[in-house]
């Protein structure tokens, strides 16, 4: 008779396996086995019975059920799927940390490789019944690992779309009082454009994009996130609130896809960052002392 051949998995890319050994690795018991949907990234256990594990599967790779996943167990063997993130098809969970039998954190991003994608820092205090994304509005960073000093003090590593790494800190200590906002500068007249070639006018930050030699003048975003709409003449790039410093202050830049959208007459070019998008920058001068600050979608230096 005809030989029976098992059908190939829908997606040969992903295989999720979770195994347990109770004798130092001499023998193993399979707890989860899945093909075609996702794979595991991390697992953390508070004790022998309480653990949390995270995994992910991407639509672009052909996952039959894309999204990031959280599994928990309270008996050390039965892992239950308690949470999924699938807002973009590229949601990612890379890190997990069990703080107690009922409290844990899982971390990643809403879109792997996304320049402005919100970070995922999901916190559960009820064993995975509910989660709160306590990401403090961090954008463009994918959490890759957690380390806890105590239940209220922790560190996390992250990476952005440009493969630049960052160290994040979680603490319950009161946040420093924000610096007093400077008195508003007189609004520039229509003949005085913003986003101009450095040196910058009062009220703007002079910044340079990490990974390029360019600089730009970045006016602050308004409280509602809007940006000044008076770029230099003939510029068609879009003013957008896409920069952020370490104090949480937001700045505007000209978002572009090609140099013809920038101030070519002034020597500006489009510094592409990721996904075909970038910001208009000017050739940087060698003068000035730089102070680092973190921004989205890239890192910049304020002079």
């Amino acid at each position: 008779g005809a030989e029976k051949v098992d059908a190939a998995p829908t997606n040969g890319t992903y295989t999720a396996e979770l195994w347990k050994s109770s004798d130092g690795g001499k023998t193993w018991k399979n707890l989860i086995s899945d093909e075609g949907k996702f794979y595991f990234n991390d697992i953390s256990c508070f004790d022998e019975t309480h653990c949390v594990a995270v995994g992910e599967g991407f639509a672009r790779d052909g996952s039959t059920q894309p999204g990031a996943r959280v599994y928990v167990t309270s008996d050390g063997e039965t892992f239950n799927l308690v949470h999924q993130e699938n807002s973009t098809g590229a949601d990612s969970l890379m890190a997990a940390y069990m703080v107690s039998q009922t409290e844990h954190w899982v971390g990643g991003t809403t879109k792997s490789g996304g320049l402005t994608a919100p970070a995922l820092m999901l916190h559960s205090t009820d064993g995975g019944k509910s989660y709160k994304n306590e990401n403090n509005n961090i954008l463009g960073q994918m959490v890759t690992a957690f380390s806890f000093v105590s239940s209220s003090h922790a560190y996390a590593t992250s990476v952005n779309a440009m493969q630049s790494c960052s160290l994040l800190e979680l603490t319950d200590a009161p946040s420093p009082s924000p610096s007093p906002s400077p008195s508003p500068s007189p609004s520039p007249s229509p003949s005085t454009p913003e986003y101009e070639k450095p040196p910058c006018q009062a009220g703007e930050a002079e910044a340079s994009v990490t990974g390029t030699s360019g600089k730009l003048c970045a006016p602050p975003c308004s409280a509602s996130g809007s940006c000044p709409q008076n770029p230099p003449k003939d510029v068609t790039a879009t003013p957008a609130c896409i920069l952020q410093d370490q104090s949480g202050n937001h700045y505007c830049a000209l978002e572009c896809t090609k140099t013809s959208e920038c101030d070519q007459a002034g020597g500006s070019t489009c510094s592409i960052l990721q996904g075909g998008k970038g910001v208009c920058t000017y050739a940087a001068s060698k003068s000035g002392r730089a102070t680092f600050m973190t921004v989205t979608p890239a890192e910049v230096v304020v002079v």
Side-chain angles (χ1 to χ4, degrees), residues 22-290:
S22 301
D23 55 11
K26 295 179 182 178
T27 60
W28 293 85
K29 179 180 180 179
N30 181 251
L31 305 180
I32 292 179
S33 181
D34 182 275
E35 290 191 59
K37 301 184 185 72
F38 72 106
Y39 55 90
F40 284 109
N41 279 326
D42 198 12
I43 185 170
S44 175
C45 295
F46 178 73
D47 52 30
E48 292 185 359
T49 57
H50 293 80
C51 304
V52 57
V54 293
E56 64 190 13
F58 299 133
R60 63 174 179 263
D61 295 334
S63 169
T64 58
Q65 293 183 17
R69 296 159 165 77
V70 184
Y71 286 81
V72 299
T73 180
S74 57
D75 64 7
E77 292 195 358
T78 307
F79 278 80
N80 297 306
L81 177 62
V82 296
H83 185 77
Q84 286 187 268
E85 292 281 337
N86 188 24
S87 61
T88 67
D91 309 75
S92 171
L93 285 173
M94 295 287 294
Y97 196 96
M98 201 86 181
V99 180
S100 70
Q101 289 187 350
T102 56
E103 181 182 7
H104 62 260
W105 291 76
V106 295
T109 179
T110 55
K111 186 176 182 180
S112 179
L115 281 171
T116 58
L120 287 176
M121 295 183 181
L122 304 181
H123 184 201
S124 176
T125 58
D126 54 14
K129 294 178 182 178
S130 62
Y131 288 88
K132 181 179 180 181
N133 189 12
E134 300 183 20
N135 68 357
N136 198 29
N137 297 318
I138 294 175
L139 304 177
Q141 298 289 331
M142 178 171 67
V143 176
T144 54
F146 286 115
S147 180
F148 277 72
V149 180
S150 67
S151 60
S152 60
H153 190 189
Y155 294 91
T157 55
S158 67
V159 64
N160 65 15
M162 300 299 293
Q163 299 302 302
S164 295
C165 298
S166 299
L167 180 64
L168 312 176
E169 182 179 21
L170 165 74
T171 177
D172 279 348
S175 299
S177 299
S179 302
S181 300
S183 299
S185 303
S187 299
S189 65
S191 60
T192 307
E194 296 187 84
Y195 313 100
E196 73 280 11
K197 183 176 182 178
C200 305
Q201 59 188 296
E204 292 180 321
E206 184 175 323
S208 63
V209 180
T210 299
T212 75
S213 58
K215 283 191 176 183
L216 63 150
C217 290
C221 307
S222 71
S224 62
S226 62
C227 294
Q229 299 295 310
N230 57 330
K233 184 182 178 181
D234 297 328
V235 169
T236 58
T238 305
C241 184
I242 54 176
L243 308 182
Q244 179 180 333
D245 67 17
Q246 292 177 336
S247 298
N249 301 310
H250 295 266
Y251 295 87
C252 302
L254 295 175
E255 192 172 48
C256 57
T257 58
K258 52 188 175 181
T259 292
S260 61
E261 298 173 347
C262 302
D263 176 27
Q264 288 185 280
S268 179
T269 59
C270 184
S271 296
I272 299 297
L273 300 174
Q274 191 264 349
K277 291 187 177 182
V279 293
C280 294
T281 62
Y282 295 87
S285 65
K286 296 182 179 179
S287 61
R289 183 172 62 87

